């Protein structure tokens, strides 16, 4: 374990910026083990997050680590969260509209459909 810590420290002290996946591929170790070591180094403030690398447009970005004690780069907003929250808030508005139009004692099977179409 200390051997891998020394390897990661040596590579990052050269000024290289790398993700956990890149470090695991470079040393031929399992990504889970490499992630544990990197997290320990990060918690002990020996490395910091210099930036974020996004694999695809809607995926969660991976942290890019660099040697040294500095402030971490802020986490970027995931595009997927925006795409999910807009329809969700629209459906809440439709539900609120339906609750306002309820007439006690009467049943209208098309009330929900009309509220969805006119929203």
């Amino acid at each position: 374990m200390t051997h891998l810590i020394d390897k990661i420290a040596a590579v990052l002290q050269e000024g290289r910026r790398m993700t956990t996946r890149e470090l695991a591929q470079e040393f031929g170790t399992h990504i889970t083990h490499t992630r544990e070591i990197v997290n320990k180094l990060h918690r002990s403030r020996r490395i910091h997050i210099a930036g974020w690398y996004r694999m695809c447009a809607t995926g969660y970005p991976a942290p890019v680590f660099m040697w040294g004690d500095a402030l971490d780069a802020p986490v970027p907003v995931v595009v997927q969260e925006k795409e999910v929250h807009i329809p969700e808030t629209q459906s809440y508005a439709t539900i609120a509209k339906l609750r306002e139009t309820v007439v006690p004692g009467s049943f209208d099977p098309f009330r929900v459909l009309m509220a969805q179409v006119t929203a």
Side-chain angles (χ1 to χ4, degrees):
M1 183 150 137
T2 58
H3 186 63
L4 183 58
I5 291 174
D6 295 337
K7 284 183 176 181
I8 292 172
V11 167
L12 293 178
Q13 282 176 345
E14 293 173 1
R16 295 173 63 184
R17 298 174 174 211
M18 300 179 82
T19 64
T20 306
R21 184 176 303 276
E22 292 169 344
L23 288 166
Q25 289 174 350
E26 173 135 343
F27 302 124
T29 57
H30 196 271
I31 190 163
T32 305
H33 181 63
T34 306
R35 189 175 292 127
E36 289 174 3
I37 300 296
V38 168
N39 286 340
K40 283 182 183 179
L41 288 171
H42 185 246
R43 280 192 304 272
S44 66
R45 310 282 299 163
R46 293 173 71 188
I47 62 175
H48 68 278
I49 299 173
W52 296 87
Y53 175 72
R54 191 181 306 272
M55 297 289 286
C56 60
T58 58
Y60 191 77
V64 179
F65 294 99
M66 188 174 180
W67 186 259
D69 183 17
L71 291 175
D72 289 340
V75 181
V77 177
V78 179
V79 176
Q80 184 177 4
E81 289 178 6
K82 293 179 186 175
E83 294 174 0
V84 170
H85 289 302
I86 291 171
E88 188 176 326
T89 55
Q90 289 174 348
S91 68
Y92 287 141
T94 304
I95 291 169
K97 188 176 175 183
L98 285 171
R99 287 183 178 155
E100 292 172 359
T101 61
V102 172
V103 177
S106 69
F107 175 72
D108 184 6
F110 298 105
R111 184 171 56 90
V112 174
L113 180 62
M114 289 184 333
Q116 289 174 346
V117 173
T118 60

